[in-house]
Structures are given as structure tokens and as C-alpha cells.
Amino acid sequence: MIKRCCFTGHRLKSLPWGDREEDRRCRDLKGRLRREIRRLYQEEGVVWFLSGMAQGVDTWAAEAVLEARRIWPDIVLECAIPYPGQAALWDRKAQARYAAIVTQCDCQTVLCQHYAQDCFFLRNRYMVDASQFVVAVWNGAPGGTGYTVNYARRQRRQVILLPPVLGAK
């Protein structure tokens, strides 16, 4: 059986540093994501990773998986895309980053052919249902990430919580 892990986490506006990736807290979180991917691969045998491709945690996780794939070529990155126009309203830099990840991923799964009110929830449920592990960057607040963590727990997935900032509850 192929072991899979998906990621869930806050968008930029919900992180204490916003879009400032040079912030030490953001750099720390990216390092923790890289270490967790390495641990999952080496200790748990996870080779398939799913990213929902939103800005923030999803993007950083996808980039970390692509980085890990340079060391371990059997790693697979699946982009779970809620609908084809997901990045259409993002700024050009974010769109280019999105496109770079999508062109390097191993496969894409598009959950809805057009935007629908529940397309992000469908994407999140798809990723959890396909995975044994869920890495969640979550501060405990209600919202999409909290919904996904609770859904994963109800589905008896192993949830690995990474607080956005070390020492946070």
C-alpha cells in the first residue's frame, strides 16, 4: 500500500507574519515542514504527498516536497486543485509560483470544473480521504484548517500539528 500525506494550513492573512516570507517565524515554519516531510518519508514510508495549492502553507509544503524529491526521486507530489481558476485572481508573482509547482508535480486532481461554494471543502475532504497522515499548520482557530483537522480526526487519520509559531497553543 502506498502511504500518503496531505497538508492543510492557514492562508497568508491568518499567519502572524502575513506574506513576509523573510520573517524568521516563516523561515522556521518552512524548516519544520521540510523536517516533517523527511521524517514521514524516512520513518513512516510516506512517498505520496498532496497539496491543495492555496497560498501560504499549501504552497510552502508543495515546494518542500519538490525539494525532497531531488534527494528521493520516488516521492510523488499530487496537486489537489479545487477548480481550474484557483489562482486567476492572485498577483503575477503568486500565479507564477503556482504554475511552477503545477508544472513540476506528478499529477493533478481537479475537484470541480467551475468555482462552487463547497469546492475547497471537497478538495480538503478528498485529500484527507486519500491520506493516512495529515500535516496541519493550525493555530486552533475555527475555519477551513480547523474543519479539515476535525474531519481528519473523525476519519481516524494521523494528524501532525505544527503550530504556526513555536510555543503557540
Side-chain angles (χ1 to χ4, degrees):
M1 176 178 82
I2 295 173
K3 289 189 179 180
R4 293 179 172 90
C5 173
C6 66
F7 301 94
T8 187
H10 299 296
R11 305 303 170 259
L12 297 173
K13 67 180 181 185
S14 299
L15 294 166
W17 56 85
D19 64 355
R20 295 182 317 279
E21 290 186 53
E22 71 281 356
D23 186 287
R24 132 191 98 64
R25 298 166 295 179
C26 183
R27 290 192 322 264
D28 173 71
L29 175 59
K30 288 180 182 183
R32 289 186 284 134
L33 281 167
R34 286 190 300 273
R35 287 188 295 278
E36 190 57 37
I37 290 164
R38 181 179 62 233
R39 187 194 72 76
L40 285 164
Y41 178 80
Q42 292 179 325
E43 296 177 19
E44 302 289 350
V46 174
V47 296
W48 194 292
F49 295 88
L50 295 92
S51 170
M53 295 302 293
Q55 292 184 70
V57 172
D58 291 2
T59 297
W60 303 329
E63 290 172 338
V65 169
L66 291 171
E67 183 181 311
R69 191 174 68 185
R70 290 187 209 116
I71 301 165
W72 302 293
D74 58 327
I75 285 180
V76 172
L77 174 62
E78 177 181 351
C79 293
I81 299 170
Y83 67 101
Q86 177 179 12
L89 299 177
W90 299 356
D91 65 43
R92 287 183 190 204
K93 183 178 175 186
Q95 286 181 3
R97 197 172 186 179
Y98 178 93
I101 294 168
V102 169
T103 59
Q104 294 177 73
C105 77
D106 298 286
C107 62
Q108 300 172 39
T109 302
V110 178
L111 280 297
C112 297
Q113 290 308 309
H114 304 282
Y115 173 80
Q117 189 172 356
D118 64 347
C119 66
F120 297 102
F121 289 109
L122 290 171
R123 181 225 24 224
N124 293 346
R125 288 192 298 263
Y126 164 78
M127 292 193 310
V128 168
D129 290 343
S131 300
Q132 292 82 31
F133 298 87
V134 178
V135 173
V137 176
W138 185 42
N139 63 11
T145 302
Y147 170 86
T148 304
V149 167
N150 290 327
Y151 179 74
R153 287 175 173 158
R154 286 193 309 275
Q155 300 305 309
R156 301 189 188 283
R157 300 308 190 253
Q158 185 172 337
V159 177
I160 301 150
L161 292 176
L162 298 179
V165 179
L166 283 178
K169 293 185 181 187

